[in-house]
Amino acid sequence: MCGIVGAVAERNITAILIEGLKRLEYRGYDSAGIAVIDNDGQLSRLRRSGKVAELDQAQTLEPLSGRLGIAHTRWATHGAPCERNAHPHFSSHELAVVHNGIIENHQALREQLKDLGYLFTSDTDTEVIVHLLHHKLHELGDLATALKAAVQELHGAYGLAVISASQPDRLLAARSGSPLVIGLGLGENFLASDPLALRQVTDRFVYLEEGDIAEIRRESVRIWDLNGQDVQRETVQHQDGAEAADKGEYRHFMLKEIHEQPKVVQRTLEGRLGDAQVLVEAFGPQAAELFAKVRNVQIIACGTSYHAGMVARYWLEGLTGIPCQVEVASEFRYRKVAVQPDSLFVTISQSGETADTLAALRNAKGAGYLASLAICNVATSSLVRESDLTLLTNAGPEIGVASTKAFTTQLVGLLLLTLALGQVHKRLAPGLEAELVEELRRLPSRLGEVLSMEKAVEKVAELFAEKHHTLFLGRGVQYPVAMEGALKLKEISYIHAEAYPAGELKHGPLALVDSDMPVVTVAPNDELLEKLKSNLQEVRARGGQLIVFAAEQAGLEDGEGTHVVSMPHCHEVLAPIYYTLPLQLLSYYVAVLRGTDVDQPRNLAKSVTVE
Ligand code: F6R
């Protein structure tokens, strides 16, 4: 973890590598490094803990120059975040390796390599790879052959980039459980863990598949598959994505992405709505036939995507009567699961590369599910490639680590799924599909209206700046919305935030409520409103400060200890999408007031490709 960039060219590639790392900064990291084969044929390296800007500055003081190089941003897993543990790792000043992923048998390999005389200078699992490869290189002679032999002994996940001073015309790569993509240039070629890193130099990409090993030279690329066979992988031309690296008029990517929601929700809907119904084919040509067989839905996801899944359970069971279970992938993957007959296995993921979600999907294969459906934002991701059906959320690249537009577009995708299943099974109330299709068409402009409340939310954020703890309450389908609000606040402002179903308050958490504990609530005008109001009374009676995002018709007003932000009217079914926006803005403005690193909060990575 977390970002890899590599290049082989006729020109000096240092600036390309550093720029690539900058473009991957959004994924979160704690140290960075670069290694090149310099003009004397020697391996040179620079590493810094902290930001890529520090590495860049060090590089201007001690310039590195070379035509072959690799670079990395590290998010610590094995060993503290410090310069000694930063990649690239060397073996005998002959080989350099950068690695994303985790080597599970690193301890055993470390002992074997120590017995062979190798000295370790870091606490990382990665260092065993470079020494193992060095050992194989001296046994076998050729770098690609040595890499093929070395990876046989690795257990775990890896995306690897390798260079050798003894074979300075090639960059080697290996993929197993951690994505890698080759960027094709003219007389120069590149490698990265995410194509975004290479958009500055090319728009033509070749995605490596699981088990692939690649040898990348200036004029050629050779790929071997899992079985060691020479293979050709498709070249993909990317049209968009260039805008992603630009914050435009906004101070942070997160704010830009919050404001993009009307536009990207529109994109999620494009081509998926008929006159009065959802187009089932939007889920793939065989979707209608498959959906007709579905009697149960199992949803798996992590973090924010899991919250989207929780909202979908209320929709699926409430609107179609089709049973639905939702579970976090990290638990599901290690549990013995009793698979319900005719279950559709649905994964939700922004990146499509989350290790736990991917592992859950892989475990689900052969476990008796009817089919798998990925609701995902990245068309080229592993999750999409490995699922039977896909619904792309089309939110565009999300750079802020805290997910915003990915979540709302996932919700839209999940509502489309609910309506498609309801339609195929004729389970929807008469007229409901046409009514919701109409509401969905209006959704982008209505979300624009919600965003125009920004100033009011910014004001409310002032109530939080000095606080240490917060409760978020919601009832029914708004409970997962409250969970998502709490997750956003803790991620970027580092304020401890807990979400509860409002009815649970008196079963324990009420003990925490006092004047120092702000309580945030979403209160649309739904059938649980009166019950929620009683819960809010319980908070006020204990001196708790209430911040309520409430429907105009909810009958809630500002008063002593109660701050009400009025929300425009919305359809009850779509309320989770509307009420998410003010909670995103609230976390954003609290974080700005507290001066945290909004787009790259501490300790977090954008795409969690390790367990
Ligand atoms: C929170 C956040 C994470 C992700 C989670 C899953 O703001 O972004 O909780 O939602 O790591 O990631 P994906 O959706 O890429 O599988």
Side-chain angles (χ1 to χ4, degrees):
M1 291 275 270
C2 194
I4 288 177
V5 192
V8 51
E10 189 56 46
R11 52 180 167 155
N12 177 14
I13 42 70
T14 311
I16 296 172
L17 296 180
I18 301 255
E19 173 61 22
L21 292 185
K22 286 184 181 161
R23 286 166 180 256
L24 295 180
E25 282 195 291
Y26 75 95
R27 301 171 79 94
Y29 66 101
D30 45 52
S31 53
I34 176 171
V36 299
I37 309 285
D38 67 21
N39 300 333
D40 303 325
Q42 304 294 316
L43 260 179
S44 309
R45 157 175 81 176
L46 260 183
R47 298 181 292 175
R48 286 292 178 274
S49 66
K51 295 286 177 190
V52 174
E54 286 165 46
L55 182 73
D56 197 10
Q57 200 185 9
Q59 200 278 135
T60 49
L61 299 173
E62 286 171 58
L64 281 185
S65 176
R67 295 173 190 162
L68 172 67
I70 51 178
H72 190 258
T73 45
R74 173 173 188 255
W75 189 69
T77 54
H78 292 70
C82 60
E83 193 171 313
R84 192 169 57 84
N85 287 333
H87 304 205
H89 288 287
F90 279 8
S91 190
S92 305
H93 279 268
E94 185 186 348
L95 270 177
V97 165
V98 293
H99 164 223
N100 280 353
I102 288 178
I103 303 305
E104 286 166 2
N105 58 334
H106 71 100
Q107 203 57 50
L109 287 172
R110 184 178 270 254
E111 295 312 319
Q112 288 169 24
L113 290 160
K114 276 187 186 164
D115 289 346
L116 289 170
Y118 285 98
L119 290 177
F120 281 78
T121 57
S122 80
D123 309 317
T124 63
D125 52 339
T126 303
E127 200 179 349
V128 302
I129 305 174
V130 71
H131 293 318
L132 178 64
L133 187 57
H134 184 268
H135 177 61
K136 298 286 178 198
L137 185 61
H138 283 260
E139 249 177 30
L140 299 165
D142 171 67
L143 189 56
T145 313
L147 183 59
K148 286 179 200 166
V151 297
Q152 296 295 326
E153 296 184 25
L154 302 178
H155 301 168
Y158 52 81
L160 295 176
V162 180
I163 54 173
S164 164
S166 62
Q167 298 177 28
D169 55 345
R170 71 198 75 169
L171 166 63
L172 268 288
R175 173 194 167 145
S176 181
S178 204
L180 281 177
V181 61
I182 297 168
L184 303 176
L186 288 175
E188 54 188 19
N189 286 313
F190 310 93
L191 178 76
S193 50
D194 180 331
L196 197 61
L198 303 177
R199 287 308 307 262
Q200 38 155 346
V201 280
T202 185
D203 59 359
R204 291 186 307 132
F205 295 97
V206 175
Y207 286 85
L208 293 186
E209 306 245 328
E210 283 298 280
D212 281 357
I213 290 194
E215 185 178 66
I216 305 156
R217 298 173 187 247
R218 280 205 301 111
E219 301 285 356
S220 65
V221 169
R222 196 166 169 199
I223 302 173
W224 296 272
D225 71 8
L226 197 60
N227 305 314
Q229 301 297 315
D230 255 302
V231 278
Q232 296 290 326
R233 301 274 179 231
E234 191 194 348
T235 301
V236 182
Q237 186 118 18
H238 280 211
Q239 310 293 0
D240 66 351
E243 86 276 13
D246 181 9
K247 285 198 277 257
E249 69 199 79
Y250 295 98
R251 185 166 162 196
H252 295 102
F253 281 110
M254 183 179 177
L255 189 61
K256 176 184 175 223
E257 288 158 5
I258 289 173
H259 280 274
E260 277 173 358
Q261 289 176 108
K263 181 179 82 187
V264 297
V265 161
Q266 176 73 48
R267 270 202 235 152
T268 313
L269 292 169
E270 264 160 28
R272 288 163 176 173
L273 298 179
D275 283 347
Q277 57 177 21
V278 167
L279 302 174
V280 179
E281 317 83 79
F283 292 85
Q286 73 278 44
E289 198 186 322
L290 261 171
F291 283 4
K293 296 183 192 149
V294 171
R295 284 197 287 149
N296 183 71
V297 175
Q298 171 70 64
I299 299 180
I300 294 299
C302 301
T304 288
S305 301
Y306 166 70
H307 296 154
M310 285 188 69
V311 171
R313 183 169 67 139
Y314 285 89
W315 283 338
L316 274 162
E317 297 203 344
L319 302 181
T320 73
I322 296 174
C324 173
Q325 303 82 44
V326 191
E327 193 167 340
V328 287
S330 55
E331 285 300 313
F332 180 88
R333 64 178 287 194
Y334 290 114
R335 199 165 69 74
K336 281 214 167 61
V337 178
V339 180
Q340 301 291 322
D342 303 317
S343 266
L344 178 66
F345 188 82
V346 178
T347 52
I348 311 170
S349 175
Q350 188 286 125
S351 61
E353 301 294 349
T354 301
D356 285 321
T357 311
L358 263 174
L361 171 66
R362 288 171 186 159
N363 291 353
K365 289 195 176 155
Y369 289 95
L370 192 63
S372 57
L373 163 68
I375 298 199
C376 188
N377 194 34
V378 181
T380 46
S381 63
S382 309
L383 202 68
V384 168
R385 286 207 295 265
E386 295 180 28
S387 297
D388 302 316
L389 302 174
T390 300
L391 186 82
L392 290 176
T393 46
N394 297 337
E398 191 179 60
I399 307 290
V401 164
S403 195
T404 52
K405 60 177 181 170
F407 178 68
T408 40
T409 52
Q410 285 168 350
L411 290 181
V412 170
L414 288 160
L415 186 55
L416 294 176
L417 175 66
T418 304
L419 295 176
L421 283 170
Q423 180 195 122
V424 170
H425 288 267
K426 303 192 175 32
R427 294 280 196 98
L428 296 166
L432 182 66
E433 186 169 14
E435 186 181 325
L436 287 176
V437 163
E438 206 39 50
E439 287 293 333
L440 280 169
R441 281 192 218 289
R442 291 197 200 113
L443 181 64
S445 68
R446 294 255 178 94
L447 292 181
E449 286 169 34
V450 178
L451 289 173
S452 66
M453 300 162 38
E454 187 167 1
K455 283 275 164 257
V457 182
E458 188 177 354
K459 189 105 200 71
V460 170
E462 288 167 17
L463 300 169
F464 284 73
E466 305 298 323
K467 301 292 182 197
H468 300 291
H469 306 276
T470 317
L471 288 179
F472 280 70
L473 302 179
R475 288 201 78 130
V477 71
Q478 295 298 335
Y479 167 47
V481 172
M483 292 173 80
E484 176 57 11
L487 180 65
K488 286 289 91 80
L489 188 71
K490 67 184 116 180
E491 277 183 299
I492 61 168
S493 74
Y494 316 146
I495 293 176
H496 173 219
E498 292 278 350
Y500 281 96
E504 271 290 297
L505 205 54
K506 53 184 158 311
H507 299 292
L510 201 54
L512 295 170
V513 171
D514 63 14
S515 59
D516 238 7
M517 171 76 94
V519 178
V520 181
T521 311
V522 278
N525 190 16
D526 61 17
E527 58 187 19
L528 291 171
L529 179 63
E530 290 311 316
K531 304 233 175 270
L532 179 70
K533 283 182 180 172
S534 317
N535 302 138
L536 300 188
Q537 287 307 324
E538 292 161 7
V539 172
R540 274 307 299 138
R542 274 85 188 167
Q545 298 284 310
L546 282 171
I547 292 98
V548 193
F549 295 95
E552 277 158 0
Q553 310 77 354
L556 283 158
E557 279 171 14
D558 261 353
E560 175 70 22
T562 306
H563 305 267
V564 177
V565 181
S566 220
M567 291 280 293
H569 170 73
C570 68
H571 193 287
E572 188 178 331
V573 172
L574 273 71
I577 307 177
Y578 286 83
Y579 280 77
T580 294
L581 270 52
L583 298 187
Q584 294 170 342
L585 286 168
L586 182 66
S587 331
Y588 173 77
Y589 281 109
V590 173
V592 167
L593 283 171
R594 288 169 73 92
T596 58
D597 191 345
V598 172
D599 285 331
Q600 293 162 37
R602 67 186 183 199
N603 306 341
L604 297 180
K606 182 66 186 163
S607 175
V608 186
T609 54
V610 294
E611 269 197 86

